[in-house]
Amino acid sequence: MADVAARAGVSAQTVSRVANGSPRVDPATRARVEKAMADLGYRMHRAARALRTGQTSTIGLVVSTLASVGNSRMLQAISEAAAARDYALAVVTVGERGIREAFARLRSQGVDGAVVLNEATELARDAQPPADLHLVVVDSPADARFSIVQTDHAGGARAAAAHLLALGHDTVHHLGGPRGSFAAAERERGWREALADVGLVAPEPVRGDWTSASGYSAVAGLTGVTAIFVANDQMALGALRALADEGRRVPEDVSVVGFDDIADAAEFRPPLTTVRQDFDALGRRAVVALIAAIEGGDPVAETVPATLVVRESTAAR
């Protein structure tokens, strides 16, 4: 730090402010210090800073599984957002010993706070989070104990069902996610609201577990239908295969809409109409909200819009 200060012609305190992202440095001085850092190959020593500040600049991620595409994409988004703010990331999964053990493992690693992802959110709500562990929960009902960042699942699902109804389908059936999932419940709510908007009673949904195999099995119970809104793209992939095996053409006989807009959705046969989640925006907002809480800010609640992407798996009836 002394070498950087001498190179830039500033005090060591100014170098410290630049390294810690303080706004109390004018732009010209910041640029001069950052150039000196780059020229000298300077990097902040995390262990030394942790001893001085009591913070490790490490955040945690609590997740029930990384097997789903959505959770994997959120991991990548949060990892990139944390790195952009010069924070390290520690990942723990909720195993047989439960979320309290996951929190305990994070605390033993000295994290400053954690993001709790999707299916683990119900466990976080039911458990009492440690008072000294700042939390941001992705996809959760309102809770004053932590910040919440979520996709507008209901709005996206409502748009998907409304799209199918506008194509002339008499009703829209739903292949839903597992019970207990906040995202699945919100997507089901949006679907029901779209049907209620035109005076229709929602048919009984069938359920899967987010996997393509469960989507394949569930569609076997949906005979005589012309439009299906599926709660995620992986189950929609299984649904497309099941329909093909039964000789039902998509979209000529059955229109299908998914949710997530995973990277391969446009490569399905046919390319899948789906609702796009902005995983990058979710990751950025979750990290920003968590760092704000670590720095003494109040809990926030943010909703990221979801957008319908129309492709070739839907058609007029």
Side-chain angles (χ1 to χ4, degrees):
M1 187 176 288
D3 292 341
V4 172
R7 181 73 163 255
V10 299
S11 68
Q13 185 179 33
T14 298
V15 176
S16 177
R17 286 174 178 164
V18 172
N20 286 287
S22 170
R24 297 168 56 195
V25 183
D26 71 77
T29 301
R30 182 183 301 278
R32 196 163 70 250
V33 172
E34 288 175 345
K35 184 178 185 306
M37 288 176 169
D39 291 344
L40 296 172
Y42 172 83
R43 292 188 64 83
M44 176 69 75
H45 192 291
R46 290 183 181 275
R49 182 167 63 178
L51 288 172
R52 180 171 55 83
T53 65
Q55 294 182 347
T56 62
S57 292
T58 300
I59 60 175
L61 178 66
V62 181
V63 62
S64 59
T65 177
L66 289 171
S68 70
V69 174
N71 281 4
S72 296
R73 288 185 63 181
M74 277 299 299
L75 169 60
Q76 180 174 346
I78 290 170
S79 177
E80 291 174 353
R85 298 291 295 267
D86 200 28
Y87 272 71
L89 182 67
V91 180
V92 297
T93 55
V94 178
E96 294 181 357
R97 299 180 66 178
I99 197 163
R100 288 186 178 85
E101 173 64 19
F103 286 148
R105 297 204 320 265
L106 286 177
R107 292 176 72 188
S108 71
Q109 296 179 56
V111 302
D112 300 326
V115 177
V116 181
L117 194 58
N118 295 342
E119 277 64 52
T121 62
E122 184 178 24
L123 302 176
R125 295 195 303 270
D126 293 342
Q128 183 61 42
D132 58 348
L133 186 65
H134 300 286
L135 293 182
V136 171
V137 174
V138 177
D139 290 340
S140 171
D143 194 312
R145 295 175 297 170
F146 37 69
S147 292
I148 295 169
V149 177
Q150 61 189 10
T151 293
D152 184 7
H153 300 284
R158 195 169 187 165
H163 166 69
L164 290 166
L165 293 170
L167 291 173
H169 294 276
D170 294 334
T171 192
V172 178
H173 287 73
H174 183 43
L175 200 173
R179 297 186 188 278
S181 164
F182 174 81
E186 285 294 283
R187 294 172 196 179
E188 181 176 331
R189 177 170 70 86
W191 161 72
R192 290 182 182 278
E193 288 175 351
L195 294 181
D197 287 344
V198 294
L200 294 175
V201 176
E204 185 66 25
V206 294
R207 298 193 183 279
D209 61 7
W210 299 129
T211 65
S212 56
S214 70
Y216 184 94
S217 300
V219 163
L222 291 177
T223 58
V225 306
T226 67
I228 308 172
F229 166 54
V230 187
N232 79 334
D233 290 349
Q234 285 178 282
M235 291 195 299
L237 175 60
L240 291 175
R241 177 170 166 254
L243 292 168
D245 285 353
E246 294 171 6
R248 291 190 279 175
R249 300 167 300 165
V250 177
E252 293 86 353
D253 301 321
V254 184
S255 286
V256 177
V257 179
F259 202 109
D260 284 338
D261 194 27
I262 63 175
D264 295 330
E267 308 304 323
F268 289 2
R269 181 174 292 180
L272 183 66
T273 295
T274 186
V275 178
R276 177 175 295 156
Q277 284 203 79
D278 191 341
F279 291 104
D280 291 339
L282 281 170
R284 286 194 302 271
R285 295 192 188 190
V287 170
V288 168
L290 182 55
I291 293 174
I294 291 168
E295 295 176 350
D298 294 326
V300 299
E302 297 190 56
T303 300
V304 178
T307 307
L308 180 68
V309 180
V310 178
R311 297 195 180 99
E312 297 170 30
S313 65
T314 54
R317 181 63 176 162

